[in-house]
Amino acid sequence: MTVRQWISGASLAVLAAGSAPALAQTTSADRRVNVTPYLGVDQVVMAPLKGDGDVLTYTNVTAGVTAQVQTRRVEAAVDLQYNHSFSWSNQIGDQDVLSGIANATVNVARGLSIHTGGLASRVRTDGLSGASTLNDSYTSQVYAGYIGPAYTTQIGDITVNASYRLGYARVEDDLDSNLSNAPVSGSFADSWTHNLMGSVGFGPGTLLPVGLTASAGYDREDASQLDQRFEDKWGRVDATLPVSRTVALIGGLGYEQIEISQRSPLLDSTGVPVIRNGRYVTDKSSPRALVYEFDDIIWDAGVLWRPSRRTSLQAQVGQRYGGMTYQGSFTWQGANSSFAVILFDGIDSFGRLITANAAALSGSSFDVARNPFTGDITGCAFSTTGGGQCFNDALSGITDANFRYRGVSAQYSLRRGQWGWGVGAGYSQRKFVTPQGQTVLVRGSKDQNWYGNASMTYMLGDRDSIDTVVYVNYFDASDARPDVLNYGGFTSYYKGLTRRLSASASVGVDGVKADDLDTVISAMGQVGLRYSF
């Protein structure tokens, strides 16, 4: 069971029970549909402040749409943009970027809903994780999307929940067929994921003094790189025993089976793996080799503190994956703000992680920290309703390998009057699960990532605003790959000229320092016009 399953499984009954009244109380004043397509043109300049480099000038032509929908049956939010950059230099070519995030929930019938959404952005693939993509370095376009139903119903005192999610993730890059251009950490291509989960149970004080929930799930990922396959089957029973009005003891016991397998790479006449477009070519005739296996009893125990409907703390310690695990969460929901901290531990991959990040977005309103110079979304989407998400951790050090994924993440969002604030920070460790003898990512080697994002918005009027974003990311890579420190910030001013025409101006700085390489610091400027339909 992954960290997302643990969190959703622990909270599914509570969320389902709380969602129906909210839908029933939706009034006509709360229903809104706001769809705004737009066209824009920007002039961008990038100049080196430290390190080698030329002054680069781009003209960006953009087309996009923003949408907010909240009705009795539909809740959705979309921020999607296509950007074509015309380079003014003969040394580098034009660039195309599709970026955006979207999520939607459609309430089909009582208790039955459909959830869908996705993410698109661009990242560096030359090892300088997190650095600006506005140059002639290798970049990759990342896509992730999902769709699936969820069902909840009450049969007397028994609560029944079921959900399924189909996900797809893809990385398209500009690597050629030369071995020297192959990413040193392995290259993710694409994968399909399936997540099926169900539970049945009752709360404490209904049928028994203790609440009991039986749940089971099946997860699968099929990745194209070396025909890799991940399968996770699990079942468990969880108990909740209140010991006071606000505190309960919680615990669970179950069984889990995980298998990760893949085929061998195709070898040439000299015994060297064949690489095409920066990726291993799969030997379809090779037998499927078992990369990782876990087959054992799982358990955990902890405490749940819920002093009010707005505040919840959950902490658990247990045994899984052949060792001890520590997981927990703290959430607080205010009238116009939210705060959450999550301690996680699971087996993951880039495909499953980025798809789950996209699926974690919820609500019809969130603030997206979009880079005004490139259009990329590599930071956080903040929401005062608790449905925000940071993507920069998942987008750091993209690899085709599975890994033990542990760490902590925190996010805070506030909107009050003319001000909007958002802060996201976290730490993660990836311990790789690879075939014995692999020479690139050695089995058991670790990557570590520290990140922080902060954004501020101030509304000067109905159509005028100032946005400021600062960010820092330190990626501690394993083996011979470089450690990378990336930092920077930008400020943008948006001015409404007419009801449909607006102007913008932005200034920013981006710095990157990698092992054995000089620090590169770049200054960026942008002016532009946008027409909204």
Side-chain angles (χ1 to χ4, degrees):
M1 184 167 58
T2 67
V3 58
R4 273 108 39 207
Q5 294 164 347
W6 175 79
I7 294 170
S8 60
S11 308
L12 191 57
V14 176
L15 294 175
S19 61
L23 290 173
Q25 294 171 5
T26 300
T27 65
S28 58
D30 297 325
R31 299 170 187 169
R32 62 180 185 272
V33 177
N34 184 8
V35 180
T36 306
Y38 62 84
L39 294 174
V41 59
D42 302 329
Q43 189 65 40
V44 178
V45 61
M46 179 177 180
L49 295 179
K50 183 177 182 180
D52 295 333
D54 299 323
V55 176
L56 303 178
T57 305
Y58 293 85
T59 298
N60 296 331
V61 177
T62 61
V65 60
T66 60
Q68 290 182 334
V69 179
Q70 185 174 0
T71 67
R72 187 173 62 88
R73 290 191 175 275
V74 179
E75 187 174 40
V78 177
D79 186 330
L80 182 64
Q81 177 178 287
Y82 166 75
N83 181 317
H84 181 83
S85 297
F86 296 93
S87 173
W88 287 28
S89 173
N90 294 328
Q91 299 177 352
I92 54 177
D94 296 350
Q95 296 177 331
D96 292 280
V97 181
L98 180 64
S99 63
I101 54 177
N103 77 89
T105 298
V106 180
N107 297 292
V108 180
R110 184 176 181 84
L112 177 63
S113 57
I114 303 293
H115 303 267
T116 186
L119 161 75
S121 191
R122 185 176 58 167
V123 296
R124 292 280 284 261
T125 54
D126 58 357
L128 300 184
S129 176
S132 173
T133 60
L134 192 62
N135 53 36
D136 57 350
S137 301
Y138 288 127
T139 59
S140 293
Q141 184 73 47
V142 176
Y143 304 97
Y146 68 94
I147 188 171
Y151 179 73
T152 181
T153 189
Q154 196 77 20
I155 305 175
D157 293 324
I158 305 296
T159 300
V160 178
N161 294 297
S163 64
Y164 168 74
R165 186 177 74 220
L166 173 66
Y168 180 71
R170 183 178 183 85
V171 175
E172 293 182 350
D173 51 41
D174 52 11
L175 298 172
D176 61 29
S177 58
N178 296 327
L179 178 62
S180 60
N181 284 332
V184 295
S185 59
S187 180
F188 180 89
D190 67 336
S191 72
W192 289 92
T193 56
H194 306 267
N195 306 93
L196 179 64
M197 185 171 67
S199 67
V200 56
F202 54 87
T206 53
L207 301 179
L208 294 172
V210 59
L212 294 174
T213 299
S215 56
Y218 174 73
D219 301 303
R220 174 165 173 158
E221 180 183 26
D222 292 283
S224 59
Q225 176 77 318
L226 297 181
D227 197 14
Q228 192 175 87
R229 179 183 299 165
F230 167 90
E231 284 189 291
D232 183 7
K233 308 169 188 175
W234 58 272
R236 56 182 289 147
V237 175
D238 290 274
T240 303
L241 177 63
V243 294
S244 73
R245 187 179 62 85
T246 60
V247 178
L249 300 179
I250 55 178
L253 178 67
Y255 171 81
E256 185 172 24
Q257 181 185 51
I258 300 177
E259 288 187 357
I260 304 175
S261 62
Q262 68 182 42
R263 301 191 189 277
S264 300
L266 184 68
L267 304 180
D268 62 16
S269 58
T270 63
V272 176
V274 177
I275 290 179
R276 184 178 302 145
N277 297 324
R279 297 178 175 90
Y280 291 117
V281 177
T282 306
D283 184 356
K284 295 293 186 181
S285 64
S286 64
R288 183 170 292 278
L290 190 64
V291 175
Y292 174 85
E293 183 179 26
F294 172 78
D295 188 353
D296 207 347
I297 292 174
I298 58 175
W299 65 266
D300 52 61
V303 62
L304 172 65
W305 178 56
R306 187 168 292 154
S308 68
R309 292 186 302 171
R310 295 179 179 271
T311 305
S312 177
L313 171 66
Q314 188 167 328
Q316 289 176 276
V317 59
Q319 191 163 28
R320 184 176 291 129
Y321 316 125
M324 298 300 294
T325 61
Y326 305 90
Q327 302 180 107
S329 65
F330 175 79
T331 60
W332 175 79
Q333 180 63 61
N336 53 10
S337 60
S338 66
F339 176 70
V341 178
I342 297 176
L343 179 69
F344 54 86
D345 187 347
I347 301 292
D348 229 315
S349 70
F350 171 74
R352 300 195 301 278
L353 181 59
I354 194 64
T355 302
N357 278 183
L361 284 172
S362 63
S364 61
S365 177
F366 44 73
D367 296 323
V368 182
R370 184 187 293 275
N371 190 311
F373 311 103
T374 64
D376 300 334
I377 295 177
T378 54
C380 300
F382 296 106
S383 173
T384 57
T385 59
Q389 184 66 35
C390 290
F391 306 105
N392 44 350
D393 189 49
L395 296 173
S396 296
I398 297 175
T399 174
D400 63 332
N402 281 263
F403 44 83
R404 178 79 176 270
Y405 187 50
R406 288 178 281 195
V408 61
S409 64
Q411 194 172 49
Y412 173 72
S413 182
L414 169 67
R415 182 166 290 279
R416 179 173 298 168
Q418 297 170 289
W419 292 93
W421 301 87
V423 179
Y427 163 79
S428 70
Q429 180 193 91
R430 296 171 172 88
K431 185 176 182 180
F432 293 106
V433 177
T434 59
Q436 296 287 355
Q438 181 168 317
T439 58
V440 177
L441 287 173
V442 178
R443 188 180 184 90
S445 60
K446 301 175 184 179
D447 284 353
Q448 299 182 90
N449 192 53
W450 291 262
Y451 67 91
N453 294 76
S455 69
M456 181 275 292
T457 299
Y458 180 72
M459 299 299 299
L460 299 170
D462 293 338
R463 297 191 299 270
D464 302 346
S465 66
I466 297 176
D467 294 351
T468 298
V469 173
V470 294
Y471 55 88
V472 61
N473 196 98
Y474 179 67
F475 187 72
D476 182 3
S478 59
D479 303 319
R481 296 173 297 145
D483 299 341
V484 180
L485 172 64
N486 172 236
Y487 53 89
F490 52 83
T491 296
S492 302
Y493 173 62
Y494 300 94
K495 173 67 177 178
L497 303 178
T498 67
R499 189 170 64 91
R500 298 186 180 275
L501 184 65
S502 62
S504 64
S506 305
V507 293
V509 63
D510 182 83
V512 59
K513 175 67 174 73
D515 288 346
D516 302 324
L517 296 176
D518 294 334
T519 300
V520 176
I521 302 177
S522 303
M524 296 170 287
Q526 174 264 358
V527 292
L529 292 173
R530 173 180 294 186
Y531 184 83
S532 301
F533 296 91

